[in-house]
Amino acid sequence: MGLPLVRPEHMEPVREIIRVHLRLWRKAELSFMAELGVTELLTNVYKHTRGDCELVLSETDSGVFVGVSDFDATLPIIREPSDDEVGGRGLFLLAAMADGFGTEPCRSGKQVWFRLGPEASRPRQGESAA
């Protein structure tokens, strides 16, 4: 899905599209994480690029693949932020919570992607749901 000039007001309709697809695919349990991840990736496009991007949402055997491609070749740097930093935690947290995460240069820019499976929708051993 092409998203020209992605803006904050586009986030809710895109999240609704994600929810509908996941319900159709009988993977609604992945909605929270998928919506959170898409919001983070699109927010980064809004903040750090000219705003044009393409969103890919694909069903996989065990979950979903989400990728956002934009036209800026600068790859994001994912690092653990220091305690006193106000921002910079989104991609770090997404990479930690997703079943797969990556960035890839493309001919026209880059793609940032994540993969979710059934285990991504529930707490890992030793973690609480709250």
Side-chain angles (χ1 to χ4, degrees):
M1 159 187 351
L3 296 171
L5 296 173
V6 69
R7 313 245 348 127
E9 58 268 19
H10 300 145
M11 301 300 174
E12 180 51 35
V14 170
R15 287 191 295 261
E16 180 61 27
I17 291 167
I18 301 289
R19 282 191 293 271
V20 168
H21 275 83
L22 291 175
R23 280 196 306 265
L24 288 171
W25 294 336
R26 300 176 197 253
K27 294 179 186 239
E29 71 278 4
L30 300 175
S31 284
F32 178 78
M33 280 298 303
E35 291 175 54
L36 182 73
V38 165
T39 301
E40 174 61 24
L41 297 185
L42 294 180
T43 298
N44 284 345
V45 168
Y46 173 71
K47 286 182 173 180
H48 303 291
T49 75
R50 67 178 193 214
D52 296 336
C53 67
E54 182 175 292
L55 170 65
V56 174
L57 175 67
S58 304
E59 182 179 25
T60 65
D61 289 341
S62 62
V64 294
F65 171 88
V66 178
V68 172
S69 300
D70 63 49
F71 300 99
D72 185 321
T74 306
L75 295 175
I77 299 170
I78 294 89
R79 60 178 177 74
E80 186 170 3
S82 65
D83 291 341
D84 60 346
E85 288 183 77
V86 176
R89 289 172 170 72
L91 288 180
F92 174 76
L93 292 172
L94 179 58
M97 294 188 299
D99 291 318
F101 177 87
T103 61
E104 297 176 9
C106 300
R107 184 176 41 200
S108 60
K110 68 177 169 298
Q111 182 181 62
V112 182
W113 59 268
F114 64 93
R115 203 175 47 251
L116 299 174
E119 57 277 2
S121 64
R122 46 181 195 270
R124 294 186 169 107
Q125 188 174 10
E127 297 176 340
S128 71

